[in-house]
Amino acid sequence: MIVLTAPSGAGKTTIAKHLLKKYPELDFSTSATTRSPREGEVEGKDYYFLSQEEFQQKINDEAFIEWEEVYEDRLYGTLHSEVDSLIANGKKVLFDIEINGAQNIKAKYDERCLVIFVKPPSFRALVSRLTNRGTETPASLEKRIKRIKKELLFENTFDMVLLNDKLEDALKEAEQIIESLVLKNS
Ligand code: 5GP
């Protein structure tokens, strides 16, 4: 299992999409969330978009490996059913999740799991990237920025750090990690 984790806006989703396109051995663990779809996002591919009630029901049913209230009233979670079916299909599972979720997945799968922290070049660069992305309202942008400050402190607590300054370089380095550490033994 490969977990890409990072503060919001560090570019982990772009890196994840690139790796999924390049390596058919990998497949994406589609999470469940209560946030609304962004333009272009596809149900069942980017996320399973659930109502608060549906998400709560899945919590009660213990359907999640891990879940987090990442932002106020916005829940995100990794489904047992999703990961089990990818593993049953012989895939290496790629996760794109925030820091607490990454810690929980690591605690559960330990040696079977490589956690890569995607590091933005600087706090300021991250804020301007997130602002330019234009997907956030001013209120949600503020919440994300508050969270980013805390998340950056976790850089050295994972297996690897991948600097995403120039995207092209980061993609190359991500490929090298996957080829040398994940696909080599398969
Ligand atoms: P976004 O709303 O930008 O898609 O995601 C917000 C944050 O939630 C990102 O850091 C994303 O990686 C994280 N996230 C997505 N799915 C999950 C999940 O299943 N569990 C956890 N803990 N975080 C997730």
Side-chain angles (χ1 to χ4, degrees), residues 4-9 12-13 28-33 35-36 38 41 46-47 49 55 64 66-71 74-79 95-102 104-105 130 133 135-136 144 147 151:
L4 290 175
T5 191
S8 179
K12 63 185 180 308
T13 307
F28 183 58
S29 166
T30 302
S31 297
T33 183
R35 83 149 162 76
S36 337
R38 294 185 187 131
E41 284 185 331
D46 295 287
Y47 281 107
F49 295 99
F55 200 102
F64 291 113
E66 61 78 37
W67 65 271
E68 289 290 325
E69 184 169 12
V70 179
Y71 306 106
R74 284 192 183 185
L75 310 179
Y76 295 77
T78 305
L79 292 157
F95 299 83
D96 168 351
I97 58 179
E98 54 66 71
I99 308 279
N100 294 330
N104 289 332
I105 296 284
L130 205 55
R133 193 168 79 176
T135 52
E136 307 307 316
R144 280 178 190 252
R147 196 179 167 96
E151 291 185 325

Side-chain angles (χ1 to χ4, degrees), residues 9 124-136 141 145:
R124 285 181 62 180
L126 191 54
V127 171
S128 85
R129 218 180 260 176
L130 205 55
T131 311
N132 294 337
R133 193 168 79 176
T135 52
E136 307 307 316
L141 191 62
I145 289 171

Side-chain angles (χ1 to χ4, degrees), residues 73-92:
D73 287 336
R74 284 192 183 185
L75 310 179
Y76 295 77
T78 305
L79 292 157
H80 282 290
S81 55
E82 179 75 7
V83 174
D84 291 349
S85 87
L86 297 180
I87 292 175
N89 287 333
K91 297 288 186 176
K92 312 262 185 211

Side-chain angles (χ1 to χ4, degrees), residues 21-162:
K21 207 167 152 196
K22 182 158 175 111
Y23 301 108
E25 297 91 335
L26 307 184
D27 210 340
F28 183 58
S29 166
T30 302
S31 297
T33 183
T34 60
R35 83 149 162 76
S36 337
R38 294 185 187 131
E39 208 181 309
E41 284 185 331
V42 176
E43 161 69 24
K45 184 163 177 275
D46 295 287
Y47 281 107
Y48 300 105
F49 295 99
L50 304 182
S51 65
Q52 293 284 345
E53 294 71 28
E54 288 167 331
F55 200 102
Q56 189 57 52
Q57 188 58 52
K58 292 210 183 287
I59 295 174
N60 298 346
D61 295 343
E62 298 184 0
F64 291 113
I65 299 174
E66 61 78 37
W67 65 271
E68 289 290 325
E69 184 169 12
V70 179
Y71 306 106
E72 202 182 336
D73 287 336
R74 284 192 183 185
L75 310 179
Y76 295 77
T78 305
L79 292 157
H80 282 290
S81 55
E82 179 75 7
V83 174
D84 291 349
S85 87
L86 297 180
I87 292 175
N89 287 333
K91 297 288 186 176
K92 312 262 185 211
V93 186
L94 183 70
F95 299 83
D96 168 351
I97 58 179
E98 54 66 71
I99 308 279
N100 294 330
Q103 287 172 330
N104 289 332
I105 296 284
K106 183 70 185 178
K108 185 170 166 67
Y109 294 105
D110 196 25
E111 294 293 300
R112 295 171 63 196
C113 168
L114 177 76
V115 186
I116 305 169
F117 181 92
V118 179
K119 178 181 161 72
S122 69
F123 173 70
R124 285 181 62 180
L126 191 54
V127 171
S128 85
R129 218 180 260 176
L130 205 55
T131 311
N132 294 337
R133 193 168 79 176
T135 52
E136 307 307 316
T137 62
S140 77
L141 191 62
E142 198 185 311
K143 282 182 196 152
R144 280 178 190 252
I145 289 171
K146 226 171 156 184
R147 196 179 167 96
I148 285 168
K149 285 188 185 159
K150 287 192 205 144
E151 291 185 325
L152 284 171
L153 302 174
F154 287 88
E155 171 183 341
N156 292 317
T157 64
F158 295 109
D159 298 319
M160 306 199 86
V161 176
L162 171 61

